[in-house]
Amino acid sequence: MNTMKWLIKREFWENKGIYLWTPLILAGLSALLYAGIVLFAFPHAHELSVSQEGGANIQANINMLSIIEKELATTGKSSALEAAANMYWVFMGILPLLLAFSSLIYLSASMHSERNDRSVLFWKSLPISDLQTVLSKLALPFVLGPLLMFFIAIGLYIVLALLFCLIALLNGVNLFPWLLFKADLMLFPLKLLVALPTYALWALPTAAWFLLVSSWAKSRVFLWAVGLPIAGLIFLRLVSHYAGIDLNVQWVFKNIVARLLGGTFPGAWIIDVRLPKELEAAFSFQTIFEQMLLTLQSAALWIGVIAGGGMLYLAARMRRYREDF
């Protein structure tokens, strides 16, 4: 256990910029951008032109804070306020996308780089198994990285909510009571925690595939990892078209190519979940969280986990016996 802990720390030290400083900088820029949008959009009146039948136009000045204040005073709810709060999700979505891209880049370079600079010779001289090394490289983008992203995302979510309420308060509208009793704000950390294990299970085949390619490719690892599945899909499509054989290329794309290449992207597992019609009509980020546990009942998820485990074993064996440095 101490060996694995030390190996994960080593990977984090070598990639701190990807998994710590970049998300922090991006979160700070998102908060500044959000504050600028709110400052511009809400405290000031905006002229709105509405066309009527017959070609007549009606000019009106719209002040979002005034609308929110009136709606809260009359009904206790505000559609305009909910729309403004949903802007959080736009900014929050940047962090998971960053995690997805950075994980693919890290995984494609992790085992190739140690062969390229021959540091693998030093690590092989230590009493550390190849499987432990491979698992430590997997742990950074799927355990430590998501946890760091979780705390950064929670911090960003709170900062955005406080910025919104503070700007509103400075303009004479007190939204702090609404913020304190908003259920979504309290449930968001729990929903995000539930998402992390499901995300890791669904993304395992993608991570294992990139590690496997990184263990044998001599150069251009990312191109090999992306190009091989796509080339195979194109080959099957050509065979199906010219030979007149129904190879069900769409199934291959959904269950093999998409799983190998897109598993690290948040919400990728939604392709395996059949949403109820009422949720399809009102699809949102909340829907993703609410339907996430359905994937744990999916055979595709567990088949992917088994396949990912096999590819991790092959990556460890390849690391052990690969001699071309």
Side-chain angles (χ1 to χ4, degrees):
M1 182 61 69
N2 288 332
T3 301
M4 180 60 67
K5 182 179 178 181
W6 185 82
L7 286 172
I8 295 174
K9 283 185 177 180
R10 167 220 168 189
E11 294 294 330
F12 176 68
W13 291 334
E14 293 180 352
N15 299 276
K16 188 182 294 185
I18 296 177
Y19 289 101
L20 180 62
W21 299 121
T22 302
L24 282 174
I25 293 172
L26 188 61
L29 293 176
S30 298
L32 289 175
L33 180 60
Y34 179 82
I37 292 174
V38 173
L39 278 171
F40 172 77
F42 294 148
H44 307 290
H46 298 275
E47 188 173 294
L48 181 65
S49 178
V50 180
S51 297
Q52 287 185 319
E53 294 182 4
N57 290 333
I58 297 178
Q59 301 291 331
N61 288 327
I62 303 298
N63 187 295
M64 291 297 295
L65 283 178
S66 299
I67 294 174
I68 291 172
E69 188 175 18
K70 290 178 182 178
E71 288 180 340
L72 289 177
T74 54
T75 64
K77 296 181 180 180
S78 172
S79 57
L81 182 57
E82 292 296 331
N86 285 335
M87 289 174 58
Y88 300 161
W89 296 103
V90 176
F91 292 92
M92 297 294 297
I94 298 175
L95 291 177
L97 287 176
L98 173 66
L99 177 64
F101 281 111
S102 60
S103 295
L104 291 181
I105 295 172
Y106 162 78
L107 290 166
S108 61
S110 58
M111 297 185 68
H112 174 265
S113 59
E114 66 177 13
R115 293 203 328 272
N116 193 42
D117 61 15
R118 301 196 176 190
S119 62
V120 65
L121 297 174
F122 168 74
W123 295 109
K124 281 188 173 184
S125 67
L126 300 177
I128 302 172
S129 69
D130 295 284
L131 185 59
Q132 281 181 311
T133 303
V134 170
L135 291 178
S136 69
K137 294 179 182 299
L138 184 70
L140 181 58
F142 288 99
V143 179
L144 188 58
L147 283 176
L148 287 173
M149 199 71 70
F150 167 77
F151 289 111
I152 294 173
I154 294 301
L156 177 60
Y157 190 71
I158 294 173
V159 168
L160 294 182
L162 291 176
L163 277 174
F164 178 71
C165 292
L166 182 60
I167 292 171
L169 183 63
L170 293 175
N171 288 273
V173 181
N174 185 10
L175 297 179
F176 280 99
W178 167 84
L179 175 65
L180 294 175
F181 293 101
K182 184 172 173 56
D184 288 344
L185 182 64
M186 305 304 172
L187 293 176
F188 176 75
L190 296 178
K191 291 179 179 180
L192 201 55
L193 277 177
V194 170
L196 295 182
T198 308
Y199 166 78
L201 289 173
W202 189 263
L204 181 60
T206 301
W209 168 248
F210 274 79
L211 279 175
L212 178 59
V213 176
S214 181
S215 68
W216 61 261
K218 294 183 179 180
S219 62
R220 299 176 178 86
V221 181
F222 190 85
L223 291 179
W224 277 108
V226 175
L228 281 177
I230 294 178
L233 185 69
I234 294 173
F235 175 76
L236 290 178
R237 185 70 181 90
L238 292 175
V239 171
S240 177
H241 178 74
Y242 289 105
I245 304 173
D246 186 10
L247 298 177
N248 202 348
V249 179
Q250 186 176 359
W251 182 92
V252 174
F253 171 77
K254 176 183 176 182
N255 293 280
I256 298 179
V257 177
R259 292 297 306 278
L260 288 179
L261 301 182
T264 59
F265 291 91
W269 44 263
I270 205 71
I271 63 174
D272 198 58
V273 176
R274 292 185 178 180
L275 296 174
K277 291 183 179 180
E278 61 272 13
L279 289 179
E280 288 181 354
F283 185 78
S284 65
F285 289 102
Q286 295 294 337
T287 305
I288 294 180
F289 287 117
E290 291 166 2
Q291 299 296 308
M292 182 174 296
L293 292 180
L294 291 178
T295 59
L296 297 177
Q297 305 173 8
S298 169
L301 172 69
W302 299 108
I303 292 173
V305 170
I306 295 172
M311 286 187 284
L312 289 176
Y313 176 77
L314 290 176
R317 300 295 290 181
M318 188 69 69
R319 183 181 186 273
R320 180 177 181 181
Y321 294 110
R322 192 68 187 262
E323 297 295 341
D324 58 319
F325 300 115

